[in-house]
Amino acid sequence: MNELNELRRALLKGGCAAGLVAFAASAGLLVPGRALAAEWNKSAFEAKNVADVLKGLGASGVADSKDILIKASDVAENGAVIPVEVTSQIAGTQSITILADKNPLPLLAMFEFVDGAQGYVSTRIKMGQTSNVRVVVKAGGKYYSAAKEIKVTIGGCGG
Amino acid sequence: MAEPMKIRTQLSGDLVAIKVLIGHVMETGQRKDPRTGQVIPAHFIKQLSVGLNGKTVIAAQWGGAISKDPFLGLKVKGAKAGDKITVHWEDSKGEKNSAEATVG
């Protein structure tokens, strides 16, 4: 996504646009299906706060939604292994992103869905301290989010 | 050498529930070795994809904060018995692993 955004910005700036397209094509950026095997989103994953993560994801105008269900226990005894189950009931869910607000690196994981894949993810995460677990869903090009607080008694990030 | 992956599938109607268990250290790069005080270098799965009959249906990007020996539960519609589910991952050191399971 990031590459494509940069590419688009560069194209919007004009200048040697034609040359850029040729370059992009030769670099394989315009190959269909490329979006799925997208580069690891470094800027979003290395962001140190939620606002920067959202910026890195290109998510703006995020609206709260009651159609995102986050199933996790209220209290986690071990911050290194916290089971989390996310279901998006929003029609046309394209991706589910999971964040922990107060983790040193808040972005945990991003899942993109195509064809038959359902807006559902169950996994286990690490949290450094008590914080909100935030889920951002992309559907129809728009962003929705929901959060749930999980109390952590022993952190799972530090030494 | 990457440890083997475990994949379980459960079909109900045309919806297949996929459970994946991966053996991986998932080191965040934030942790210090308690003896030496040195930071343990990051080593975690960055990208993971799930395919149904060779076609990618889920593509994931991870950070280091997915738990050690990651577990993943997913659901895919439009599957039938005998379909092939493949899971592929690549980590921050460039190590890769793939596994395949048949929908039963």
Side-chain angles (χ1 to χ4, degrees):
Chain A
M1 277 314 273
N2 233 18
E3 288 177 331
L4 288 176
N5 276 337
E6 275 168 30
L7 176 63
R8 196 193 61 210
R9 254 176 247 136
L11 285 175
L12 285 174
K13 275 187 200 152
C16 52
L20 246 171
V21 170
F23 167 75
S26 66
L29 291 177
L30 297 180
V31 174
R34 169 84 189 179
L36 261 183
E39 286 285 319
W40 193 67
N41 193 333
K42 196 168 162 29
S43 62
F45 274 102
E46 290 184 353
K48 294 200 164 54
N49 60 60
V50 174
D52 285 349
V53 169
L54 294 179
K55 218 164 96 187
L57 293 172
S60 57
V62 181
D64 286 345
S65 170
K66 288 196 173 77
D67 294 322
I68 303 168
L69 311 178
I70 306 171
K71 211 168 110 185
S73 61
D74 296 332
V75 180
E77 281 180 20
N78 180 359
V81 185
I82 305 174
V84 175
E85 200 178 304
V86 179
T87 307
S88 165
Q89 295 177 332
I90 301 168
T93 293
Q94 292 165 290
S95 75
I96 290 180
T97 303
I98 307 174
L99 296 85
D101 285 10
K102 289 188 185 164
N103 267 16
L105 303 172
L107 180 54
L108 302 180
M110 209 157 77
F111 296 87
E112 287 175 47
F113 307 105
V114 280
D115 291 336
Q118 303 290 290
Y120 165 89
V121 169
S122 165
T123 190
R124 299 191 292 228
I125 62 170
K126 294 181 219 173
M127 281 172 69
Q129 55 175 301
T130 298
S131 121
N132 268 342
V133 166
R134 186 179 302 273
V135 172
V136 177
V137 168
K138 185 182 179 190
K142 289 191 178 135
Y143 291 90
Y144 304 89
S145 107
K148 174 188 165 69
E149 193 192 49
I150 298 179
K151 284 190 172 33
V152 177
T153 42
I154 306 168
C157 285
Chain B
M1 192 48 204
E3 295 174 44
M5 238 187 289
K6 282 182 192 154
I7 306 175
R8 296 274 177 278
T9 60
Q10 195 178 16
L11 191 67
S12 57
D14 71 338
L15 185 77
V16 62
I18 305 164
K19 288 178 182 171
V20 187
L21 200 55
I22 303 166
H24 200 283
V25 292
M26 295 303 285
E27 201 57 70
T28 56
Q30 311 264 343
R31 230 156 55 92
K32 281 183 182 162
D33 187 316
R35 274 175 304 167
T36 62
Q38 297 288 310
V39 172
I40 303 169
H43 183 200
F44 56 88
I45 294 176
K46 276 185 148 178
Q47 296 194 299
L48 178 140
S49 62
V50 177
L52 175 66
N53 294 328
K55 197 167 175 293
T56 302
V57 286
I58 296 159
Q61 296 183 25
W62 288 1
I66 296 290
S67 300
K68 182 185 172 189
D69 296 336
F71 165 79
L72 196 56
L74 300 159
K75 290 174 183 171
V76 177
K77 243 187 155 58
K80 58 185 184 307
D83 281 356
K84 290 259 184 289
I85 301 283
T86 47
V87 178
H88 175 80
W89 59 255
E90 189 171 338
D91 72 18
S92 55
K93 290 186 179 172
E95 289 170 21
K96 299 171 189 183
N97 199 5
S98 301
E100 194 177 81
T102 306
V103 176

